[in-house]
Amino acid sequence: MQFVNNNLNSPGKVGLALGSGSARGWSHIGVIRALEEAGITVDYIAGTSIGALVGAVYASGRIDLLEAAVQQFSRKHILSLSDPVLPKSGLIDGVKIADFVHKYVLNKPIEKLPLPLAIIATDLNTGDEVVLKAGNIVEAIRASISLPGIFKPVRKGDYLLVDGGLVNPVPVRTVREMGADFVIAVDLNCDIVQRKHDRLTPRDGSKDIQMVEQEVHSISGNRTTTLLNEKLREINLAAAGRIKQWMARDPQPNIIEVLMTSIKIMESQITTVNLRSDPPDMLIQPKLGHINFMEFHRAEEIIAEGYRAASSQLACWQEKNSK
């Protein structure tokens, strides 16, 4: 398939903007698969948070390896990637996640990758967007995924970097500025606000409380809590007891759920505004409101939804432009 920029009415370079969304980000893999099957060549890619991770792997030519790996994920595997620290600037250090990322990206600076890549982060000191197009790729990804309060920020020169979703959840403008004529954007949080509201706001009645409790603690079952407790026993920190309390069962959402939900609601609102002011040529919005932020072990289902959403949009675009 050859894309034609509606404004230029001529063949153009295709840019892919991959948005933030925690575990929902595995759907980017399904989107990429659908684009490949349609014969679409991506010329530029920009990613925020989990979109930066998947985008960097794609730019490295190793998306097959990542797809195979994440489909084997279990809750135990996810916990093994966490490295709790004394809560000063974040609950998780991020070193183990960086080690995981290193396996699936080329050992090259960003500017040396086969596909031009931009990674979005936020400077915590100024609130400014920071676009990383050169330098250490793992460090850039580590910065872009650093949800405030969850991961320790990344110090890079004068910058103190955290999740790029705080300022640019779906980097349409960035990939267009890289040279893309036709921008395909993937928004992972389009249906999150209402669904999260339904899940975190109990109504009267014990049945409603039980439903909310079950949803909020979908990643905190007995097996998962036991594994985390075992991990925390290995850490001689005064904060260990507090972290275990956070994972205890309670009809109210735990602090991690509150932090992540609050951030994603904010990102959803920012995305809505940004997409209105700088709309992509094609917008793909997988329906993932039922997926918890930390359910990385549901990769097969998430990837399939990304593929479905992308295939649907491609079909609509073909029908529209064939008339």
Side-chain angles (χ1 to χ4, degrees), residues 27 31 186-188 190-191 284-289 305-306 308-309:
S27 65
V31 170
V186 186
D187 170 23
L188 304 180
C190 63
D191 62 345
I284 298 171
Q285 296 179 308
K287 303 301 181 184
L288 296 165
E305 171 56 20
R308 184 209 63 78

Side-chain angles (χ1 to χ4, degrees), residues 143-160:
S144 188
I145 68 173
S146 293
L147 281 165
I150 307 297
F151 291 97
K152 288 176 59 178
V154 172
R155 176 72 67 178
K156 185 176 178 63
D158 295 332
Y159 297 130
L160 187 62

Side-chain angles (χ1 to χ4, degrees), residues 4 21 67 88 105 114-115 126 136 157 167 170 182 187 197 216 228 268 287 312 321:
V4 176
E67 181 176 9
K88 182 178 179 181
V105 295
L115 181 65
T126 64
N136 188 298
V167 290
V170 185
F182 192 102
D187 170 23
H197 181 271
V216 168
L228 182 57
S268 177
K287 303 301 181 184
S312 176
N321 286 273

Side-chain angles (χ1 to χ4, degrees), residues 290-319:
H290 62 290
I291 300 293
N292 188 284
F293 299 117
M294 296 300 292
E295 291 183 318
F296 290 95
H297 60 285
R298 297 175 68 176
E300 185 173 354
E301 173 186 355
I302 297 169
I303 292 171
E305 171 56 20
Y307 180 88
R308 184 209 63 78
S311 298
S312 176
Q313 283 301 99
L314 287 167
C316 289
W317 187 89
Q318 283 183 306
E319 181 179 356

Side-chain angles (χ1 to χ4, degrees), residues 252-272:
Q252 298 300 317
N254 61 51
I255 187 172
I256 294 179
E257 186 78 3
V258 169
L259 279 170
M260 298 189 75
T261 300
S262 299
I263 290 169
K264 293 306 174 185
I265 288 173
M266 179 191 67
E267 290 184 3
S268 177
Q269 300 301 321
I270 294 172
T271 299
T272 299

Side-chain angles (χ1 to χ4, degrees), residues 8-310:
L8 299 178
N9 195 30
S10 61
K13 298 287 187 180
V14 176
L16 184 59
L18 301 181
S20 60
S22 301
R24 299 177 178 92
W26 294 151
S27 65
H28 290 317
I29 299 174
V31 170
I32 290 169
R33 288 291 177 230
L35 297 179
E36 289 179 336
E37 287 186 9
I40 297 167
T41 299
V42 173
D43 300 287
Y44 305 98
I45 187 165
T48 298
S49 196
I50 189 68
L53 192 161
V54 176
V57 175
Y58 180 46
S60 297
R62 296 183 174 181
I63 199 70
D64 291 346
L65 296 177
L66 180 65
E67 181 176 9
V70 301
Q71 288 185 344
Q72 301 301 315
F73 268 19
S74 64
R75 288 174 175 170
K76 182 176 181 179
H77 191 170
I78 296 164
L79 284 175
S80 73
L81 293 176
S82 67
D83 36 11
V85 293
L86 184 66
K88 182 178 179 181
S89 56
L91 299 176
I92 298 174
D93 187 72
V95 172
K96 290 186 177 180
I97 291 178
D99 290 341
F100 168 80
V101 171
H102 195 272
K103 297 177 183 178
Y104 301 100
V105 295
L106 294 178
N107 187 25
K108 294 181 178 181
I110 298 173
E111 67 273 21
K112 299 293 185 181
L113 295 176
L115 181 65
L117 172 70
I119 291 176
I120 312 302
T122 303
D123 183 6
L124 197 58
N125 292 322
T126 64
D128 292 337
E129 177 181 349
V130 178
V131 181
L132 303 169
K133 298 181 181 178
N136 188 298
I137 187 172
V138 175
E139 181 184 56
I141 296 169
R142 169 71 181 81
S144 188
I145 68 173
S146 293
L147 281 165
I150 307 297
F151 291 97
K152 288 176 59 178
V154 172
R155 176 72 67 178
K156 185 176 178 63
D158 295 332
Y159 297 130
L160 187 62
L161 300 177
V162 293
D163 196 319
L166 298 180
V167 290
N168 195 356
V170 185
V172 173
R173 182 187 68 254
T174 305
V175 76
R176 204 180 294 282
E177 290 174 350
M178 293 171 72
D181 301 307
F182 192 102
V183 175
I184 302 170
V186 186
D187 170 23
L188 304 180
N189 298 310
C190 63
D191 62 345
I192 194 174
V193 175
Q194 183 57 47
R195 295 203 182 194
K196 271 295 176 185
H197 181 271
D198 292 343
R199 290 164 69 182
L200 296 182
T201 306
R203 298 178 294 275
D204 293 335
S206 59
K207 184 175 182 180
D208 291 333
I209 294 292
Q210 292 174 358
M211 178 186 70
V212 173
E213 182 181 25
Q214 180 180 2
E215 289 292 331
V216 168
H217 297 283
S218 61
I219 63 165
S220 308
N222 292 335
R223 175 175 170 77
T224 302
T225 304
T226 300
L227 291 170
L228 182 57
N229 286 339
E230 291 175 355
K231 185 176 184 65
L232 290 173
R233 290 191 192 103
E234 301 173 0
I235 306 173
N236 186 21
L237 294 172
R242 177 65 63 185
I243 295 176
K244 284 189 281 187
Q245 289 180 24
W246 290 335
M247 297 302 291
R249 284 188 171 275
D250 189 281
Q252 298 300 317
N254 61 51
I255 187 172
I256 294 179
E257 186 78 3
V258 169
L259 279 170
M260 298 189 75
T261 300
S262 299
I263 290 169
K264 293 306 174 185
I265 288 173
M266 179 191 67
E267 290 184 3
S268 177
Q269 300 301 321
I270 294 172
T271 299
T272 299
V273 173
N274 287 355
L275 292 179
R276 285 174 182 168
S277 62
D278 192 5
D281 298 281
M282 179 183 294
L283 179 60
I284 298 171
Q285 296 179 308
K287 303 301 181 184
L288 296 165
H290 62 290
I291 300 293
N292 188 284
F293 299 117
M294 296 300 292
E295 291 183 318
F296 290 95
H297 60 285
R298 297 175 68 176
E300 185 173 354
E301 173 186 355
I302 297 169
I303 292 171
E305 171 56 20
Y307 180 88
R308 184 209 63 78

